């Protein structure tokens, strides 16, 4: 039986890391929708477009093709035939993605691709509105969250490990602002689906979260 697992939650909750590990252990395909939005955002940045220029963004969407492929088990994000996996995790790209994902034209283009993939394969998909909009009939829905302080610390450690200098208070402030923007946007706001299980990972390890999710899948 084909199954879809939807994981939603705020920025920095660990959705991508956990969804990727869960998919691997279940033998399903991991679809990082955030990476797809980041790919679009990267394209906008490369074109020098302002995040508020909806007219130009609308036109550019017609020229964008985003796809996902796998090499040696690792997800690769392809933008117009170019592998941009190594560029989409920059802070500027994340902020642009958060700002431009509110536009219906951006969301509509990517949601259809995501649905097509889920119709063909067993998938674990993470994002902001997977259980509420993209895959409303998913077999298992999970809303993964953590406190803003914990999420800021995780992001701080990640950036520091890469040799980047950063301020943990500034990171938390940005996370709180992004939460507000994501939850109050007009199109597909971030919210927990009525039938989703709330999972707070503030005091849990990655393995503990994955084990709990596997239990939920088994019980579904």
């Amino acid at each position: 039986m084909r199954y879809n697992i939807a994981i939603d939650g705020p920025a920095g909750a660990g959705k991508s890391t956990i969804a990727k590990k869960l998919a691997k252990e279940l033998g399903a395909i991991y679809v990082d929708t955030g990476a797809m939005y980041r790919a679009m955002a990267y394209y906008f940045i490369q074109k020098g477009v302002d995040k508020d220029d909806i007219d130009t963004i609308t036109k550019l969407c017609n020229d964008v093709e985003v796809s996902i492929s796998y090499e040696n088990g690792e997800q690769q994000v392809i933008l117009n035939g170019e592998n941009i996996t190594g560029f989409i995790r920059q802070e500027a790209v994340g902020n642009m993605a958060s700002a431009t994902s509110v536009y219906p034209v951006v969301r509509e283009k990517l949601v259809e691709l995501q649905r097509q993939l889920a119709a063909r394969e067993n998938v674990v998909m993470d994002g902001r509105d997977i259980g509420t909009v993209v895959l409303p009939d998913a077999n298992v829905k999970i809303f993964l969250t953590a406190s803003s302080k914990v999420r800021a610390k995780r992001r701080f450690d990640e950036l520091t490990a890469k040799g980047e200098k950063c301020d943990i208070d500034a990171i938390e402030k940005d996370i709180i602002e992004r939460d507000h923007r994501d939850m109050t946007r007009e199109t597909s706001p971030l919210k927990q689906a009525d039938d989703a299980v709330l999972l707070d990972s503030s005091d849990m390890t990655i393995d503990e979260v994955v084990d709990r999710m596997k239990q939920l899948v088994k019980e579904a």
Side-chain angles (χ1 to χ4, degrees):
M1 183 184 76
R2 192 166 314 292
Y3 64 85
N4 297 154
I5 301 171
I7 302 176
D8 292 306
K15 298 186 302 296
S16 296
T17 299
I18 288 166
K20 186 184 298 184
K21 185 174 177 62
L22 178 65
K24 184 176 182 179
E25 294 192 13
L26 293 175
I29 289 179
Y30 165 59
V31 182
D32 178 3
T33 60
M36 297 173 73
Y37 282 99
R38 282 171 176 265
M40 293 280 279
Y42 177 78
Y43 183 72
F44 298 148
I45 290 174
Q46 292 300 104
K47 292 296 182 179
V49 182
D50 185 272
K51 63 181 178 61
D52 298 317
D53 189 352
I54 180 59
D55 290 336
T56 301
I57 286 175
T58 298
K59 293 176 182 177
L60 288 176
C61 279
N62 296 323
D63 303 323
V64 179
E65 184 65 36
V66 179
S67 61
I68 290 177
S69 64
Y70 282 82
E71 294 180 8
N72 299 320
E74 293 296 324
Q75 177 180 272
Q76 307 298 316
V77 182
I78 312 300
L79 171 66
N80 292 341
E82 178 186 358
N83 190 325
I84 62 166
T85 306
F87 302 102
I88 62 172
R89 294 299 170 185
Q90 301 168 11
E91 284 293 290
V93 176
N95 289 331
M96 174 65 89
S98 179
T100 57
S101 63
V102 302
Y103 300 131
V105 66
V106 174
R107 306 193 69 79
E108 289 167 7
K109 187 174 185 71
L110 293 176
V111 166
E112 183 57 33
L113 178 63
Q114 294 155 8
R115 286 175 174 165
Q116 290 174 5
L117 182 56
R120 298 193 305 267
E121 308 282 354
N122 294 330
V123 303
V124 177
M125 193 177 296
D126 75 290
R128 302 287 197 280
D129 61 351
I130 308 304
T132 55
V133 175
V134 183
L135 300 178
D137 297 322
N139 306 76
V140 177
K141 299 179 185 179
I142 299 166
F143 192 86
L144 180 66
T145 189
S147 70
S148 60
K149 288 188 180 299
V150 168
R151 287 184 281 145
K153 180 62 166 57
R154 290 172 179 171
R155 185 59 176 158
F156 176 83
D157 291 343
E158 179 183 342
L159 293 173
T160 301
K162 294 179 180 178
E164 297 183 30
K165 293 184 178 181
C166 50
D167 182 293
I168 193 169
D169 292 329
I171 292 174
E172 183 178 10
K173 181 175 181 292
D174 180 59
I175 284 175
I176 292 172
E177 290 176 350
R178 288 177 66 178
D179 284 352
H180 177 74
R181 187 162 63 237
D182 288 341
M183 290 187 291
T184 59
R185 68 190 181 200
E186 184 175 348
T187 304
S188 301
L190 167 66
K191 64 178 180 179
Q192 181 180 341
D194 292 338
D195 53 348
V197 175
L198 176 63
L199 187 54
D200 190 323
S201 67
S202 297
D203 299 315
M204 299 174 72
T205 65
I206 291 175
D207 287 340
E208 286 173 341
V209 174
V210 171
D211 286 344
R212 174 56 179 146
M213 288 187 176
K214 287 168 65 177
Q215 181 182 350
L216 291 172
V217 173
K218 185 178 180 180
E219 294 172 352

